Amino acid sequence: QVQLVESGGGMVEAGGSLRLSCAASGRVVGVLAMAWYRQAPGNQREFVAGIVSGGDTRYADSVTGRFTISRNIAWTTGHLQMNSLKPEDTAVYYCNIKVAGPREYWGQGTQVTVSS
């Protein structure tokens, strides 16, 4: 089992920045990828950014050039640096880890609110 805890959310004005963190604990082995998703009220959960074991990253078109995903070697910490935030970035942000099996785990989410 893997436990994920997100932190770093909050309220910020448009144009501002936030840095989300994801702390992974438990049996953090065989990790294939870490990703961030978000869900705004009334919307489905959507992919935001991901990083795989080889280091390659992928971003949703809506955040490319503004967000940066990173992680440590052990996969026990991940970050999502969010710059130039827009009101449409307002959502609950979730950390996700995929491990060999395959299995995946989710955190409880952290709220990000961007005011105009």
Side-chain angles (χ1 to χ4, degrees):
Q1 284 282 57
V2 176
Q3 294 78 43
L4 301 176
V5 178
E6 302 96 335
S7 61
M11 297 182 64
V12 64
E13 292 184 350
S17 298
L18 284 173
R19 181 177 168 87
L20 303 184
S21 297
C22 176
S25 60
R27 188 170 171 75
V28 188
V29 295
V31 178
L32 303 175
M34 176 181 283
W36 289 89
Y37 289 74
R38 67 187 181 187
Q39 187 168 18
N43 291 356
Q44 291 186 332
R45 191 171 297 188
E46 64 176 2
F47 171 82
V48 175
I51 184 168
V52 296
S53 57
D56 290 342
T57 58
R58 185 165 67 92
Y59 298 91
D61 289 344
S62 59
V63 308
T64 297
R66 299 187 299 123
F67 291 10
T68 303
I69 188 171
S70 62
R71 53 95 173 175
N72 69 347
I73 291 293
W75 292 99
T76 54
T77 302
H79 297 286
L80 184 68
Q81 178 67 43
M82 306 186 297
N83 298 329
S84 302
L85 283 162
K86 304 176 181 179
E88 51 263 44
D89 294 319
T90 295
V92 177
Y93 284 71
Y94 297 90
C95 180
N96 169 278
I97 275 187
K98 293 179 177 59
V99 303
R103 305 181 72 173
E104 65 178 344
Y105 300 92
W106 294 89
Q108 83 290 347
T110 185
Q111 176 70 47
V112 171
T113 302
V114 184
S115 61
S116 57

